[in-house]
Amino acid sequence: MAPSLLGGAARTRGAVLDLIRAARTVSRVELAARLGLTAPAITQVVRDLIANDLVVEVGHGPSTGGKPPTLLQLNPQARYGVGVHLERNTCVVVVVDLAGSPVSRKTVPGAASMAPQRMLPIVASDIDSLLTASGVDRDKVVGVGLVTYGPQDWPTGLLLTPQPTPEWMGYPVAEQLTEILRLPVRLDNDANAAAIGEYWLGSVDPRSSYGCIYMATGIGGGVVVAGKVYRGSSSNCVEIGHVSLDVDGDPCTCGNRGCLESYAGPPAVIQQALATPELARRLHLDPHRTDVLADFARITTAASAGDPAARALIEQAARYLGHAAVTLTNLFDLDAIVLAGPSFGPAVAMYQRVIQAELDQRWFSRHAHPVRVLPSANGDDAAAIGGAVLVLQNELTWPS
Amino acid sequence: MAPSLLGGAARTRGAVLDLIRAARTVSRVELAARLGLTAPAITQVVRDLIANDLVVEVGHGPSTGGKPPTLLQLNPQARYGVGVHLERNTCVVVVVDLAGSPVSRKTVPGAASMAPQRMLPIVASDIDSLLTASGVDRDKVVGVGLVTYGPQDWPTGLLLTPQPTPEWMGYPVAEQLTEILRLPVRLDNDANAAAIGEYWLGSVDPRSSYGCIYMATGIGGGVVVAGKVYRGSSSNCVEIGHVSLDVDGDPCTCGNRGCLESYAGPPAVIQQALATPELARRLHLDPHRTDVLADFARITTAASAGDPAARALIEQAARYLGHAAVTLTNLFDLDAIVLAGPSFGPAVAMYQRVIQAELDQRWFSRHAHPVRVLPSANGDDAAAIGGAVLVLQNELTWPS
């Protein structure tokens, strides 16, 4: 047999570990069969994983004639990842174990109008204090996934946006936070992170191709194919919020016209609600307030409680999202679309129903297979959890 | 070193062969360095490729101190692929050598309204006669790439469309043609084929992510990432012709509204030209004729010759295509977009300029990197050549 390409050993080890993780318990015989490896090869890889404390033996499975097989399981406490979802208003920090389960979390104030030089030491100290409070040994932390908006220079960990202040543009956030924390830090965008979190936590078929629509203040997207985030040229994808719904629509700050965000993004829907004075009064919407997430939550809460005007607004926004989801699916050919992020909130079932109906009627290859619309398994923390999962995945299973 | 996953040997061999193909001439030392393999490993793989006549030694490169290195080159006559681009009006058959260069081609009448039971034996005999005429040994033909429209059941080689006649819907075209020809046949869509043809023939950087817009009667798309066609769930992508430009637009036969094809597809532009009687008369457009490609060619020819009315129509169509190209790029993050297919014709430079301008102004991450718009290197036969390349690639380098 010819030798594998560079990284073959690490790739094999990663594939074995990922399969043990996904299967929860599995025997060496099953691993060998599913990965097409010989028994001695599996024995060697598993010995190495056990020596590194990543995998443990947990009793025996049913005999298939001979000696009952020893079952293997991930040791969730072997390693941890930290996820930080940094936004203008809030910053969520989570610690996630090797199985992808959050072991602790906290929400702290966001970047507001602070420059990165001031904000990053605060983030570092929030991470340190959460690790201490949760009793996680720092030596077991493989790294930090810092998740925020794009565009980004993903390989080098720079932001290419002057949000929230001009100092962030081009600032080496990943490198600086690495230096302060003495832990590897990877930068990524919220929607990519939320998308991979769904894979790791098992709410979608691991072999499938699926998209994630992530809605907080803006609307982002991510696509995962066979367990890996689709990156394109520079990982500045999948910008579903800037899919145009109207070639002659209003100009968007991005340079395009008629972007989805300007029809269905929370700030746009809040403006639509403010245009109905009675609804604005009923929901205590204040045109001078800047807390988009809180105002939008009032609308989604009212819609899901049956307020007809709020419901009409959310259903219309969901149709626009559904229209963009059809374009996403016509281009990427997906099995599923996951709705993630805090802004779906209590109206997630309403969005799910409307977007599903749009796809069922309109996506191009609906006679080839259906596309399922699902709520995220990871709730409001999907992006932060995903950030931690990206670090675990990158260090342990699929170096990207 | 741990063993590689199943297929590691074939993957290594494929990677070496693809690198020799792309490099044109290369030494064993360079191969080892670029693939991260040891010298003995490369020696073994290359010995096998030479024994199979796929690679030949062609003299020596410059010495870097010691013995001058022996250079390796692909043996283009070692294997051939056949590409068939089957459409309603025409059927293009090409024979392509291992280097991706067409060695012979012919155009025969398309499927018209024939059922597959009648058409496939005709295609088989066209392939046989072209192979005979071009003196290619049938034993050296690795297979046939049959390229046509979608949707398709790609893994099994079925069409999921009743075009051109209802009998084609669900008919096992790949299996039946395999049986008649006694050669492996793979079904794919025209835009995916055209896209991979660009990779193999070197008009784009092989490490890049790029899209292809393929325009014949309809408008299709394909995306290639690091040398592989993006397939999504079922390879029913990338349907750029059904990107909606207007959420409230006219219904399309696909079920969606405001699709790009209904603004910028050749039949739509011909309708726009017919609405200007003077232009229709000048170009001899006949509302009762059904040869879309010929009528559209009259418009693109007039536009490129400076006819103001024709030019205005094509520039407007190009802006619509540019708008969809922005959506494609916002979702896939591409380095380049290749324009392929017969309908760009003599107006390809006009399309290229307008689409480039749209991308330069509107794509979301334009501050991260530019997106280049290029004409196809493979001319009107891009889809047929790509079909042959897909078969060569699949059999020899990257089994998919």
Side-chain angles (χ1 to χ4, degrees):
Chain A
M1 184 161 140
S4 69
L5 298 179
L6 183 69
R11 203 166 48 220
T12 304
R13 183 174 176 277
V16 171
L17 190 61
D18 197 48
L19 196 50
I20 297 173
R21 181 193 65 70
R24 298 186 199 278
T25 60
V26 66
S27 70
R28 287 172 178 82
V29 174
E30 284 170 80
L31 285 173
R34 290 177 61 178
L35 292 170
L37 292 169
T38 60
I42 281 291
T43 301
Q44 187 188 328
V45 175
V46 168
R47 188 186 303 132
D48 174 53
L49 291 171
I50 291 176
N52 279 280
D53 204 30
L54 293 164
V55 166
V56 289
E57 294 184 336
V58 285
H60 297 276
S63 166
T64 53
K67 208 175 75 174
T70 306
L71 294 179
L72 303 166
Q73 201 175 65
L74 214 62
N75 174 13
Q77 284 82 46
R79 299 289 188 279
Y80 296 86
V82 173
V84 178
H85 185 201
L86 179 63
E87 290 199 298
R88 186 186 286 270
N89 292 320
T90 58
C91 177
V92 176
V93 185
V94 295
V95 179
V96 164
D97 70 21
L98 184 55
S101 302
V103 295
S104 59
R105 74 174 299 285
K106 67 176 173 182
T107 305
V108 292
S113 56
M114 272 189 271
Q117 293 85 337
R118 261 196 71 202
M119 186 63 199
L120 293 179
I122 298 174
V123 170
S125 109
D126 286 328
I127 292 170
D128 271 330
S129 66
L130 186 64
L131 286 172
T132 306
S134 48
V136 167
D137 181 352
R138 227 168 174 287
D139 291 344
K140 292 186 172 177
V141 177
V142 299
V144 176
L146 176 62
V147 169
T148 187
Y149 25 62
Q152 303 178 345
D153 186 330
W154 176 66
T156 57
L158 306 181
L159 286 184
L160 298 176
T161 166
Q163 287 187 62
T165 71
E167 293 88 348
W168 291 82
M169 178 82 182
Y171 191 81
V173 283
E175 187 188 309
Q176 288 300 311
L177 190 57
T178 298
E179 195 158 301
I180 302 170
L181 267 177
R182 304 277 157 204
L183 283 172
V185 177
R186 295 174 69 86
L187 181 69
D188 219 309
N189 85 44
D190 45 17
N192 282 341
I196 201 66
E198 294 300 318
Y199 171 77
W200 200 272
L201 290 173
S203 67
V204 290
D205 181 329
R207 288 157 306 182
S208 72
S209 301
Y210 64 91
C212 176
I213 301 179
Y214 186 85
M215 185 160 73
T217 308
I219 305 174
V223 164
V224 173
V225 177
K228 295 193 187 184
V229 174
Y230 173 88
R231 298 284 181 188
S233 168
S234 66
S235 196
N236 284 300
C237 44
V238 174
E239 291 293 352
I240 193 174
H242 299 278
V243 162
S244 171
L245 302 191
D246 184 358
V247 65
D248 298 315
D250 291 336
C252 174
T253 52
C254 78
N256 203 0
R257 284 183 174 277
C259 291
L260 171 64
E261 275 191 2
S262 57
Y263 291 80
V269 178
I270 293 168
Q271 285 308 311
Q272 293 155 18
L274 288 168
T276 308
E278 207 202 319
L279 177 67
R281 208 164 39 244
R282 200 157 69 235
L283 302 185
H284 307 287
L285 299 178
D286 176 352
H288 306 298
R289 189 163 42 200
T290 56
D291 189 346
V292 169
L293 292 185
D295 274 357
F296 192 65
R298 288 168 195 262
I299 304 174
T300 51
T301 302
S304 62
D307 182 300
R311 191 183 167 118
L313 283 182
I314 294 299
E315 286 186 338
Q316 183 57 53
R319 273 191 291 274
Y320 289 130
L321 271 167
H323 198 77
V326 170
T327 289
L328 181 75
T329 310
N330 283 353
L331 293 178
F332 276 101
D333 187 2
L334 303 170
D335 296 300
I337 290 181
V338 178
L339 306 180
S343 286
F344 288 108
V348 70
M350 197 175 294
Y351 278 102
Q352 185 184 356
R353 177 175 50 75
V354 174
I355 296 169
Q356 184 72 65
E358 290 288 316
L359 283 161
D360 290 348
Q361 269 183 56
R362 300 190 198 282
W363 102 269
F364 189 77
S365 298
R366 59 193 176 279
H367 303 304
H369 62 85
V371 182
R372 275 196 316 150
V373 182
L374 305 164
S376 167
N378 295 328
D380 289 359
D381 289 346
I385 292 171
V389 163
L390 273 167
V391 171
L392 289 166
Q393 189 189 51
N394 187 71
E395 298 295 323
L396 299 172
T397 61
W398 308 111
S400 64
Chain B
M1 186 159 138
S4 68
L5 298 181
L6 183 68
R11 203 165 47 221
T12 303
R13 183 174 175 278
V16 171
L17 190 62
D18 197 49
L19 198 49
I20 296 172
R21 182 193 64 71
R24 297 182 200 280
T25 59
V26 65
S27 69
R28 288 173 178 80
V29 174
E30 282 170 82
L31 285 173
R34 289 177 60 181
L35 292 169
L37 291 169
T38 61
I42 280 292
T43 301
Q44 186 188 328
V45 175
V46 168
R47 189 186 302 134
D48 173 54
L49 291 171
I50 291 176
N52 279 281
D53 203 31
L54 293 164
V55 165
V56 288
E57 294 184 336
V58 286
H60 297 276
S63 163
T64 53
K67 208 176 74 174
T70 306
L71 294 180
L72 303 167
Q73 203 176 64
L74 214 58
N75 173 12
Q77 285 82 45
R79 299 288 188 281
Y80 296 87
V82 173
V84 178
H85 185 201
L86 179 64
E87 289 200 299
R88 186 185 287 268
N89 293 319
T90 59
C91 177
V92 176
V93 186
V94 295
V95 178
V96 164
D97 69 20
L98 184 54
S101 302
V103 295
S104 61
R105 73 174 299 285
K106 68 175 170 182
T107 305
V108 291
S113 58
M114 272 189 271
Q117 293 87 339
R118 264 195 70 201
M119 186 63 199
L120 294 180
I122 298 174
V123 170
S125 108
D126 286 328
I127 292 170
D128 272 329
S129 65
L130 187 64
L131 286 173
T132 306
S134 48
V136 167
D137 181 350
R138 225 167 175 285
D139 291 344
K140 291 185 172 176
V141 177
V142 300
V144 176
L146 176 61
V147 170
T148 188
Y149 24 64
Q152 302 178 345
D153 187 332
W154 176 68
T156 59
L158 306 180
L159 286 183
L160 298 175
T161 165
Q163 285 185 64
T165 72
E167 292 87 350
W168 291 82
M169 178 82 183
Y171 191 81
V173 283
E175 187 189 308
Q176 287 300 311
L177 191 56
T178 298
E179 195 158 301
I180 303 170
L181 267 177
R182 303 276 158 204
L183 282 172
V185 177
R186 297 174 67 86
L187 181 69
D188 219 309
N189 86 44
D190 45 17
N192 282 341
I196 202 68
E198 294 300 320
Y199 171 77
W200 200 272
L201 289 174
S203 69
V204 291
D205 182 329
R207 288 157 304 181
S208 71
S209 302
Y210 64 92
C212 176
I213 300 180
Y214 186 84
M215 186 159 73
T217 308
I219 305 174
V223 165
V224 173
V225 177
K228 295 193 187 184
V229 174
Y230 174 87
R231 297 283 180 189
S233 168
S234 66
S235 196
N236 284 300
C237 42
V238 175
E239 292 293 351
I240 193 174
H242 299 278
V243 162
S244 171
L245 302 190
D246 183 358
V247 65
D248 298 316
D250 290 337
C252 175
T253 52
C254 77
N256 202 1
R257 282 181 176 279
C259 290
L260 170 64
E261 276 191 2
S262 57
Y263 291 80
V269 177
I270 293 168
Q271 284 308 311
Q272 293 155 18
L274 287 168
T276 309
E278 207 203 318
L279 177 67
R281 207 166 37 243
R282 200 158 67 235
L283 302 186
H284 308 287
L285 299 179
D286 176 352
H288 305 297
R289 188 163 41 202
T290 57
D291 189 345
V292 169
L293 292 186
D295 275 358
F296 192 64
R298 289 165 194 264
I299 304 174
T300 51
T301 302
S304 63
D307 182 298
R311 189 185 167 115
L313 282 182
I314 295 300
E315 286 188 337
Q316 182 57 52
R319 273 191 291 275
Y320 289 131
L321 271 167
H323 198 77
V326 170
T327 290
L328 182 76
T329 310
N330 284 352
L331 294 178
F332 275 102
D333 187 1
L334 303 171
D335 296 300
I337 289 181
V338 178
L339 306 182
S343 286
F344 288 108
V348 68
M350 199 177 291
Y351 279 102
Q352 185 184 357
R353 177 175 50 74
V354 174
I355 296 170
Q356 183 72 65
E358 289 287 316
L359 283 161
D360 290 348
Q361 269 182 56
R362 300 189 197 285
W363 103 268
F364 188 77
S365 298
R366 60 193 175 278
H367 303 304
H369 62 86
V371 183
R372 274 196 318 150
V373 182
L374 304 165
S376 168
N378 295 327
D380 288 359
D381 289 346
I385 293 172
V389 164
L390 273 167
V391 171
L392 289 166
Q393 190 189 51
N394 188 70
E395 298 295 322
L396 299 172
T397 60
W398 309 110
S400 63

